[in-house]
Amino acid sequence: MFENLNMWEVGVLLLLALLIFGDRLPNVISDGLRMVRNLRNMARNATGDLSRELGTDIQLEDLHPKAFIRKHLLSEDDEQAIRKPLQSMYDNLRSDVTGVHDELKDVARAADLRTPAPRPAVTSPATPASTPAAPTHTPPAPRPSYDDAT
């Protein structure tokens, strides 16, 4: 739960909780833990009741509508009959997206600023020593390409 927080952030949170709740902090923590325990028991009881009512073994993960239908209402043949037309549409869409992705790669490769295009040679008369030289253009820092981001 706290894997994203470092030691200082956890310390600040504890200090903040101590400032907000004061000497009631142990009671607040025990009430929170009791509430979590009650919620777990309620979920366990609900799945037990559903299992008894439906006559099948239901896990908490089975309560998602797609998983419930797939596991308890559809046979494998029914699932394949539903999946077959959608699979061909998915394959067509996947090939279209892959084609667009390849075209974007080609465009990004063509527009890549890391490989400068050859400049045409400009012949100009020699500038006198008293004339200041024109500022030279430094190329921009290389940007990550689209391929690096994906």
Side-chain angles (χ1 to χ4, degrees):
M1 183 170 145
F2 293 110
E3 63 267 359
N4 294 349
L5 301 176
N6 63 26
M7 181 180 66
W8 294 106
E9 292 169 338
V10 171
V12 168
L13 288 174
L14 289 174
L15 184 64
L16 186 64
L18 186 61
L19 289 174
I20 291 173
F21 297 110
D23 57 347
R24 295 180 299 146
L25 185 60
N27 294 336
V28 170
I29 291 173
S30 65
D31 290 343
L33 291 174
R34 189 177 312 116
M35 182 182 70
V36 168
R37 241 181 271 121
N38 287 340
L39 286 174
R40 284 183 186 164
N41 286 335
M42 288 171 50
R44 196 174 303 119
N45 290 339
T47 56
D49 291 343
L50 275 173
S51 292
R52 277 191 304 277
E53 291 292 326
L54 295 175
T56 61
D57 184 34
I58 293 180
Q59 301 298 322
L60 192 58
E61 297 84 26
D62 295 339
L63 296 179
H64 191 277
K66 288 181 184 177
F68 183 82
I69 289 172
R70 188 175 299 131
K71 185 174 180 181
H72 297 287
L73 299 180
L74 291 178
S75 67
E76 289 183 26
D77 296 332
D78 293 338
E79 187 176 347
Q80 289 300 324
I82 291 172
R83 193 177 292 247
K84 190 174 182 177
L86 297 176
Q87 186 67 38
S88 65
M89 287 176 28
Y90 173 76
D91 292 339
N92 291 338
L93 182 64
R94 179 100 176 160
S95 66
D96 291 344
V97 168
T98 303
V100 169
H101 183 259
D102 292 340
E103 290 175 12
L104 283 174
K105 276 185 183 178
D106 294 341
V107 169
R109 199 173 300 121
D112 195 3
L113 296 177
R114 283 184 256 163
T115 55
R119 294 184 181 179
V122 177
T123 56
S124 62
T127 57
S130 63
T131 312
T136 59
H137 176 64
T138 58
R143 294 185 291 173
S145 69
Y146 175 77
D147 294 333
D148 296 337
T150 58

